[in-house]
Amino acid sequence: MAISNQESGFRTQEFVLNMGPQHPSTHGVYRAILTMDGEYVVDVENVVGYLHRGMEKIAEDRTYTQFIPYTDRMDYLAGILNNWGFVMTVEKAMGIEVPERAEYIRVITGELQRIASHLVMVASMALDLNGYTPWMYAFYDREKILDLFEMICGSRLTTSFMRVGGVPNDIPEGFIPKLEKFLAELPGRADDFDNVITGNEIFVGRTKGVGVLDAEAALSFGLTGPNLRASGVNFDLRKAQPYSVYDRFDFEVPLGENGDSFDRYNLRMLEIRQSARIIRQALDTIPEGDIMAKVPKVLKVPKGETYCHIEGSKGLLGFYLVSDGGTKPYRLHLHSPSFVNLGAYPKMAKGTVLQDAIASLASIDIVLGEVDR
Amino acid sequence: MNGQGLIKGLSVTIKHFFSPKITELYPEVKPKLPESVKADFDLDREKCIACGICANACPNKVITIETEKDENNKRRLKRYEMNMQYCLFCGLCAESCPTKAIITKQNFELAAYSRENTKRLLYQADKAPASETEPGAKE
């Protein structure tokens, strides 16, 4: 580390700086103990657990259906994707075949949720770099998605939309025209974001080459999702092991080149467009039919272990379910992408100045509800 | 060229500055929520058969049901209370009800001044219907 003071014979001391747990840029209640040498970050220690609610233990005392509302509260920016991961695990364990129409509705709402989640990332990253305007613009678009969710799920944030065997509500009247309108507007809005954020010299200057993580390092930290793809590793579960009906849609997996904060941001912008493409195709080909499979009223999962994961908005979202044959899980482990991704933060932040450390943290896109669960 | 991006960004903000305003004038203008929204609950006392399935379906034990036997030895509802401070608004109670006696409402203004006021007495046998006492209305 180059510290000019020491070269001129001036001695400086390291000091400890607590970032968080109530710091606005930590996106919740995350705390990083930074050891600083002047403006430079020498060491970072992650401190998590402030939002721990014991979800895994709660699951042991809830029936399978009753646990669905709790999954909303893990990654609260992508409730539907959490619901999906959980019900898919139970469906896999019970061997339930989900009706096609339900799968399509899941894809449409799931991809909408992915767009909403990425919009928050884009917005909050701009906000962390002192850009207030894009925050407002992105939240305006997210609001439209939440309005759509309100129509179909009855809630905006804590959706509880999926059920084991399908979805509880069919597409309501007026939903599709509203969604079409949103899809028609989205490319223009995304271009607006590009003009406001991506092309902005200050933003580029503060993110390019900051928090670089090459493919090897990203893999060694076990990063998944957009953060891994930003480092140039082509791994998207929707393509690699297509679940649900993702094998029927034509979409690309955007990849980053340098694995820096800018790539991680830009990848989200590209993914928003790809998600819109998937929704477009799903809307065009959605079949008629049932939205719920024949499922017993009382769910009993056969004895055994199941692991199932989906491509969440932040990475691989996995559920490991151990059942003793009863109506409640014997053990449920939640593998949350944010928690794993946060592990790479000290490596990104070490040796950079404090401002760059903030940019790196914003680019990982953590949600503390999921880190601590 | 340096500064071009900034000018581009400014042109977007200027465009938005002259576009129609989108601010909702809440609370002067109340938003009209879709019918699927489950923000508040009510009980259709005629339909309720006091089976207790809703209380069992609830993940957070929000619902308390007291029943009594009438002269024909039939189960009858005595008291129905929802402790809204623990409600997750998942709607599993309304979904599980075999007679669809739980009605979801779109009234989302449930703030109350005290914890006691968050309890919603939806039915009590020897009292007047309690749903007129809106939460947080008094005190």
Side-chain angles (χ1 to χ4, degrees):
Chain A
M1 226 164 303
I3 293 169
S4 55
N5 283 342
Q6 280 173 348
E7 282 160 16
S8 59
F10 200 81
R11 290 181 64 83
T12 57
Q13 252 187 341
E14 289 181 354
F15 67 99
V16 173
L17 179 73
N18 273 306
M19 187 170 81
Q22 273 108 10
H23 193 277
S25 74
T26 57
H27 297 235
V29 280
Y30 157 72
R31 171 171 162 225
I33 303 174
L34 307 174
T35 309
M36 306 285 295
D37 188 346
E39 268 293 292
Y40 287 88
V41 179
V42 180
D43 197 18
V44 183
E45 195 187 323
N46 283 330
V47 184
V48 297
Y50 289 96
L51 202 59
H52 179 68
R53 291 149 294 173
M55 291 238 178
E56 295 180 1
K57 195 70 194 167
I58 288 174
E60 291 168 22
D61 195 35
R62 301 285 187 276
T63 65
Y64 292 98
T65 314
Q66 279 179 349
F67 189 64
I68 295 171
Y70 287 91
T71 57
D72 293 331
R73 283 136 178 104
M74 276 174 64
D75 177 358
Y76 40 77
L77 297 176
I80 284 190
L81 292 167
N82 295 334
N83 300 157
W84 197 355
F86 176 66
V87 296
M88 241 175 84
T89 312
V90 182
E91 280 156 9
K92 190 178 167 192
M94 294 179 71
I96 294 172
E97 191 88 19
V98 181
E100 267 201 6
R101 186 174 172 82
E103 291 279 25
Y104 273 79
I105 296 175
R106 283 180 179 187
V107 168
I108 292 170
T109 49
E111 291 303 319
L112 273 176
Q113 184 75 83
R114 194 185 309 277
I115 296 177
S117 172
H118 283 355
L119 280 175
V120 175
M121 184 273 172
V122 167
S124 59
M125 183 159 181
L127 187 69
D128 284 352
L129 304 179
N130 298 341
Y132 194 73
T133 312
W135 160 272
M136 278 305 183
Y137 290 175
F139 263 65
Y140 171 50
D141 283 298
R142 177 169 174 267
E143 202 66 13
K144 287 184 193 158
I145 298 178
L146 297 190
D147 282 344
L148 286 166
F149 285 162
E150 202 171 33
M151 286 176 86
I152 191 165
C153 321
S155 320
R156 300 166 68 83
L157 204 65
T158 52
T159 47
S160 316
F161 185 52
M162 313 272 169
R163 296 285 180 274
V164 176
V167 289
N169 306 331
D170 206 341
I171 294 176
E173 208 180 321
F175 179 84
I176 289 182
K178 222 171 158 185
L179 179 56
E180 299 263 9
K181 189 162 164 267
F182 173 76
L183 286 180
E185 282 172 3
L186 189 68
R189 297 288 297 188
D191 289 345
D192 275 3
F193 297 146
D194 273 346
N195 284 336
V196 176
I197 317 174
T198 321
N200 187 306
E201 281 91 354
I202 301 169
F203 183 84
V204 173
R206 283 195 59 184
T207 52
K208 272 243 160 101
V210 168
V212 179
L213 216 56
D214 56 28
E216 202 181 325
L219 282 172
S220 72
F221 276 108
L223 294 197
T224 49
N227 293 330
L228 177 67
R229 294 194 284 277
S231 299
V233 182
N234 189 349
F235 180 74
D236 188 323
L237 207 64
R238 292 172 294 171
K239 275 266 192 243
Q241 297 167 22
Y243 54 93
S244 188
V245 287
Y246 273 115
D247 48 346
R248 300 181 198 175
F249 303 122
D250 170 39
F251 64 99
E252 281 158 28
V253 180
L255 292 179
E257 283 166 12
N258 309 318
D260 55 8
S261 296
F262 181 81
D263 274 0
R264 281 191 285 275
Y265 152 79
N266 197 34
L267 197 94
R268 261 87 173 189
M269 286 306 296
L270 299 172
E271 283 202 356
I272 286 174
R273 292 181 167 94
Q274 293 302 325
S275 289
R277 224 172 116 186
I278 297 175
I279 299 171
R280 180 71 269 160
Q281 292 170 43
L283 267 183
D284 290 341
T285 52
I286 185 165
E288 291 294 321
D290 290 337
I291 52 162
M292 268 302 265
K294 287 251 178 301
V295 180
K297 271 246 154 68
V298 179
L299 294 174
K300 273 192 182 160
V301 172
K303 203 172 170 177
E305 299 170 12
T306 321
Y307 180 76
C308 185
H309 51 194
I310 65 162
E311 180 75 31
S313 65
K314 298 174 178 65
L316 287 196
L317 174 67
F319 290 83
Y320 177 64
L321 173 72
V322 182
S323 171
D324 56 357
T327 55
K328 293 170 182 173
Y330 175 76
R331 175 85 172 87
L332 182 71
H333 177 70
L334 315 168
H335 173 95
S336 58
S338 287
F339 179 75
V340 180
N341 292 348
L342 192 58
Y345 177 57
K347 168 135 171 68
M348 289 181 197
K350 258 181 219 172
T352 61
V353 292
L354 184 59
Q355 294 298 312
D356 289 353
I358 298 284
S360 304
L361 182 62
S363 72
I364 309 175
D365 189 21
I366 49 165
V367 164
L368 268 295
E370 193 178 58
V371 174
D372 299 337
R373 52 200 188 270
Chain B
M1 192 193 77
N2 237 2
Q4 215 169 21
L6 294 178
I7 291 165
K8 253 192 188 164
L10 272 178
S11 70
V12 174
T13 51
I14 288 168
K15 192 182 87 193
H16 278 272
F17 183 72
F18 288 107
S19 61
K21 301 286 173 283
I22 48 164
T23 314
E24 279 185 28
L25 296 175
Y26 178 80
E28 280 79 25
V29 183
K30 294 259 157 53
K32 198 179 172 316
L33 298 182
E35 284 197 352
S36 56
V37 170
K38 33 192 196 275
D40 193 8
F41 299 96
D42 208 347
L43 184 74
D44 190 333
R45 296 160 197 103
E46 304 294 310
K47 282 187 188 166
C48 181
I49 52 170
C51 60
I53 288 178
C54 50
N56 284 333
C58 179
N60 249 0
K61 300 190 176 69
V62 168
I63 302 169
T64 327
I65 296 183
E66 282 172 30
T67 54
E68 60 185 358
K69 292 270 171 75
D70 65 0
E71 54 271 20
N72 304 329
N73 208 19
K74 230 177 138 194
R75 209 168 24 192
R76 198 168 60 183
L77 189 64
K78 197 174 156 198
R79 193 161 180 277
Y80 193 102
E81 190 182 62
M82 275 184 164
N83 195 354
M84 299 301 273
Q85 65 175 320
Y86 299 122
C87 185
L88 295 168
F89 299 98
C90 58
L92 287 176
C93 50
E95 204 177 293
S96 67
C97 183
T99 58
K100 301 278 166 257
I102 300 176
I103 306 156
T104 54
K105 295 199 295 186
Q106 283 77 51
N107 164 37
F108 57 90
E109 293 167 322
L110 298 178
Y113 280 105
S114 68
R115 273 171 193 270
E116 227 13 71
N117 281 7
T118 58
K119 285 186 183 163
R120 306 215 59 193
L121 191 62
L122 295 181
Y123 183 71
Q124 184 146 22
D126 45 2
K127 258 194 183 173
S131 73
E132 278 96 58
T133 53
E134 290 296 320
K138 279 159 205 114
E139 216 170 314

